[in-house]
Amino acid sequence: MRIIHTSDWHLGQYFYGKSRANEHQQFLTWLLAQVSLHNIDAIIVAGDIFDTSTPPSYAREMYFDFIARLQGSNCQLIILAGNHDSVAMLSESQAVLASLSTRVITQVIPASLSEDELEEKALSQQVFPLHDADGKITAIICAIPFVRPRDVIRSRAGQSASDKQQSLQQAISDHYQYLYQQARKQADAFEKAEGIVVPIIATGHLTALGVSINDSKSDSVRDIYIGSLEAFPASAFPPADYIALGHIHRAQQVAKSEHIRYCGSPIALSFDEAKQDKRVLMVEFTSGKLNQVEDVIVPCFQPLYMVKTSIDEVESSLQETLVAFEKRQAAENIPASVKAWLDIEIDNGDHLSDLSQRVTELAVDMPFEVLLVRRSKKARQRRQAQLSQQDNSTLSELSLTEVFDSRLSQLEWQTDEEVARKTRLTQLFTELSVEMKQAASLANQKSDADKALKTSSSAQKESTSQSALPEEESTDAEKESVITEKEGVITEKVSAIVEKDSITPESLEQHNL
């Protein structure tokens, strides 16, 4: 029996304004060819079929078209939901796709079910046999998608963070072990009836201990925190013959185990993946046991380059990249119409406002599209340290405008889009400052008018004198009420523009704002 293990397609991804539709379509066409070439019995997609929970229509069309084309090859397809995928969206077509030899597993069976209900649902939804072209059972699969805490554990009051992590880890491990035992029963029953040993395959979409830290921190890997659990220990997996994992974008073994593997994404989803050879894994079983795992390299459909350089060496670095790309075009038969996408990282320089235009002009006659020009991480850290040393002012010493400008100066405004966003925020701040001053002026005028009215009547001097303090307090309160109301309106406007421009409190905290 042969299966293909793949994951993290991220259909519908937009990459710095660029669509990946062409690359994804070429990959899916290539994958169909591999099914026929290697006589594949099943494809397992271990999560993150789509890039977002609301993928564009063309990405959905691509997904369904692939399933329809696969139908003619007698190859089963097992789709597992990942943390990027929408459970509701994938569930919509479950019943229809089941008639096309496709099983879609969107969520784990809730642990709150009774034992009888749990066993019935487990056998029908998460534990089931795979068949060959003749309809014979060739494997039993424990199909486990991305695990959400609410499906496997109930929170308890008074638990510490370490207690929650341990409880969640145990709950996930118990879920794996329970499904494995159900699969083991089916495999033993089949062996007893037919005299044939079949392998047990498990899946998962998570971060496992034993994975390279650099891989788990890729720009395109969204951190998974299953409740309070950051990583699942490899020792907690059941003794399945093969465990097909998704979420990490570089292919690798887990804890040096031959049978626990990430296959990685089929295309580079960030510039820091540009140098990786993307692949799918072809897994072969013989006599019910894992025989071999073979890398099948996916052709590169869109070259990416991360160019690390300095301001003075930009032009020479582009020339070096051009030479490397031309050699690659010849070696990999990349069409001349394909332009490489570049990420330019500058190791020095405080101001990059004109650098993007300069780089674009340098590359105008080269087969490149410059998607990103930015400072390197070390350069950003140096600049942040310099800013921190330069300004030791306390908040009470600064005006409102100075505080706002200080915040903006600590953020990165490198691309044209970011510079435009900074301009919008500055304009909005100026408008709101004017509104604040007008509100304060209006409140002061009202207060002065009230005081003048009180003192104009000498006949009521004594009563006015006796009630002066409470009335002054009243007018001060009214003034404060007007300002507070205006501040509330301003706060709502600031929140709206901040949310629109994707500047979140979390992003501000990262810059010590």
Side-chain angles (χ1 to χ4, degrees):
M1 179 198 181
R2 287 177 180 170
I3 68 168
I4 280 180
H5 169 201
T6 179
S7 73
D8 297 276
W9 292 358
H10 289 265
L11 301 179
Q13 187 201 40
Y14 277 92
F15 190 70
Y16 299 103
K18 294 290 185 179
S19 171
R20 313 302 296 274
N22 181 54
E23 296 167 79
H24 277 127
Q25 187 58 68
Q26 290 186 75
F27 161 68
L28 294 176
T29 300
W30 173 88
L31 184 58
L32 287 169
Q34 304 311 303
V35 170
S36 300
L37 179 63
H38 299 290
N39 296 318
I40 301 300
D41 296 299
I43 296 176
I44 297 175
V45 187
D48 284 354
I49 294 85
F50 296 102
D51 190 57
T52 70
S53 59
T54 55
S57 58
Y58 81 81
R60 297 190 189 196
E61 182 179 350
M62 197 178 295
Y63 167 69
F64 289 120
D65 179 67
F66 172 78
I67 293 173
R69 294 167 65 190
L70 183 65
Q71 173 67 11
S73 63
N74 293 318
C75 177
Q76 298 163 92
L77 179 62
I78 296 87
I79 299 284
L80 288 306
N83 60 305
H84 282 249
D85 296 312
S86 163
V87 170
M89 194 274 291
L90 287 179
S91 297
E92 290 173 352
S93 55
Q94 272 179 317
V96 174
L97 297 182
S99 62
L100 299 175
S101 301
T102 299
R103 298 290 291 263
V104 181
I105 298 86
T106 57
Q107 61 189 104
V108 301
I109 303 161
S112 58
L113 296 178
S114 66
E115 187 172 343
D116 291 340
E117 289 178 316
L118 187 62
E119 182 171 350
E120 180 182 352
K121 286 184 175 292
L123 294 177
S124 63
Q125 294 183 21
Q126 285 192 260
V127 180
F128 50 87
L130 300 180
H131 302 84
D132 61 15
D134 298 325
K136 296 180 179 178
I137 295 178
T138 53
I140 306 296
I141 187 168
C142 300
I144 302 172
F146 171 60
V147 178
R148 290 172 172 79
R150 64 177 178 270
D151 291 333
V152 294
I153 195 173
R154 295 178 179 177
S155 59
R156 299 176 183 176
Q159 280 188 312
S160 66
S162 60
D163 289 340
K164 290 180 179 179
Q165 180 167 338
Q166 187 173 359
S167 297
L168 186 56
Q169 177 181 309
Q170 187 61 51
I172 296 174
S173 177
D174 289 345
H175 186 75
Y176 267 99
Q177 297 295 338
Y178 174 78
L179 293 184
Y180 175 77
Q181 293 303 322
Q182 298 299 319
R184 183 78 271 164
K185 289 179 183 179
Q186 290 192 29
D188 291 344
F190 182 74
E191 181 182 0
K192 184 177 180 180
E194 303 292 335
I196 300 175
V197 178
V198 293
I200 296 176
I201 302 170
T203 69
H205 189 88
L206 42 72
T207 301
L209 288 176
V211 171
S212 167
I213 294 178
N214 291 333
D215 294 315
S216 63
K217 295 302 181 183
S218 166
D219 287 346
S220 59
V221 175
R222 183 184 299 172
D223 285 341
I224 286 184
Y225 295 102
I226 307 174
S228 58
L229 183 65
E230 295 184 18
F232 188 71
S235 59
F237 285 115
D241 296 286
Y242 184 77
I243 300 178
L245 299 177
H247 179 56
I248 302 300
H249 293 177
R250 185 174 71 85
Q252 59 190 286
Q253 297 180 21
V254 175
K256 299 181 180 180
S257 299
E258 177 72 14
H259 70 294
I260 308 177
R261 290 181 177 253
Y262 287 99
C263 59
S265 59
I267 67 173
L269 297 168
S270 66
F271 279 109
D272 54 12
E273 299 176 25
K275 294 183 179 181
Q276 297 176 14
D277 284 331
K278 294 301 183 178
R279 69 201 68 197
V280 299
L281 301 180
M282 186 167 65
V283 186
E284 186 172 336
F285 300 90
T286 304
S287 300
K289 299 297 180 183
L290 179 64
N291 182 25
Q292 68 173 354
V293 180
E294 180 181 345
D295 294 342
V296 183
I297 303 300
V298 179
C300 177
F301 306 112
Q302 175 58 63
L304 306 178
Y305 288 93
M306 180 182 284
V307 182
K308 297 185 178 182
T309 185
S310 65
I311 290 180
D312 298 332
E313 297 176 348
V314 169
E315 186 170 1
S316 61
S317 296
L318 286 174
Q319 289 294 338
E320 291 174 3
T321 305
L322 175 61
V323 172
F325 178 54
E326 289 175 342
K327 290 181 179 179
R328 186 175 178 181
Q329 279 183 309
E332 300 178 16
N333 294 320
I334 298 175
S337 60
V338 174
K339 290 188 176 183
W341 291 348
L342 303 190
D343 169 14
I344 311 293
E345 280 203 1
I346 306 299
D347 189 45
N348 58 358
D350 293 330
H351 304 288
L352 302 183
S353 57
D354 62 337
L355 186 60
S356 179
Q357 181 179 354
R358 177 185 169 192
V359 170
T360 301
E361 291 173 353
L362 289 172
V364 68
D365 294 324
M366 299 180 181
F368 297 147
E369 286 190 69
V370 181
L371 304 191
L372 193 60
V373 178
R374 56 180 172 175
R375 295 185 188 90
S376 67
K377 184 176 181 180
K378 289 183 178 180
R380 294 196 300 268
Q381 290 173 339
R382 287 197 302 267
R383 183 169 181 269
Q384 183 63 37
Q386 292 172 354
L387 289 172
S388 300
Q389 293 174 358
Q390 290 172 0
D391 191 358
N392 295 319
S393 303
T394 62
L395 189 62
S396 60
E397 297 174 321
L398 301 174
S399 68
L400 186 62
T401 301
E402 288 172 335
V403 172
F404 181 77
D405 290 340
S406 177
R407 285 197 168 192
L408 289 186
S409 68
Q410 294 179 45
L411 291 171
E412 293 295 329
W413 310 100
Q414 300 184 24
T415 66
D416 293 341
E417 181 181 354
E418 290 170 343
V419 172
R421 182 183 302 155
K422 179 182 179 182
T423 302
R424 290 198 303 272
L425 286 171
T426 303
Q427 290 173 346
L428 178 66
F429 175 79
T430 302
E431 293 172 4
L432 297 182
S433 296
V434 171
E435 289 188 26
M436 275 288 290
K437 291 178 181 178
Q438 290 175 346
S441 176
L442 179 63
N444 285 329
Q445 290 174 10
K446 186 177 184 301
S447 176
D448 292 341
D450 289 342
K451 289 180 180 179
L453 183 63
K454 286 185 300 179
T455 57
S456 64
S457 177
S458 58
Q460 298 179 352
K461 182 176 181 180
E462 182 177 353
S463 60
T464 301
S465 176
Q466 293 175 349
S467 60
L469 181 59
E471 289 182 0
E472 286 180 4
E473 291 176 347
S474 175
T475 56
D476 288 342
E478 291 174 356
K479 172 183 174 182
E480 184 66 25
S481 175
V482 172
I483 295 176
T484 301
E485 180 181 357
K486 205 67 177 179
E487 285 178 337
V489 174
I490 290 171
T491 300
E492 291 178 0
K493 291 183 178 180
V494 171
S495 299
I497 192 66
V498 165
E499 180 178 357
K500 178 181 178 182
D501 287 322
S502 302
I503 299 177
T504 64
E506 290 77 13
S507 67
L508 295 176
E509 288 175 2
Q510 292 175 359
H511 295 273
N512 299 318
L513 297 178

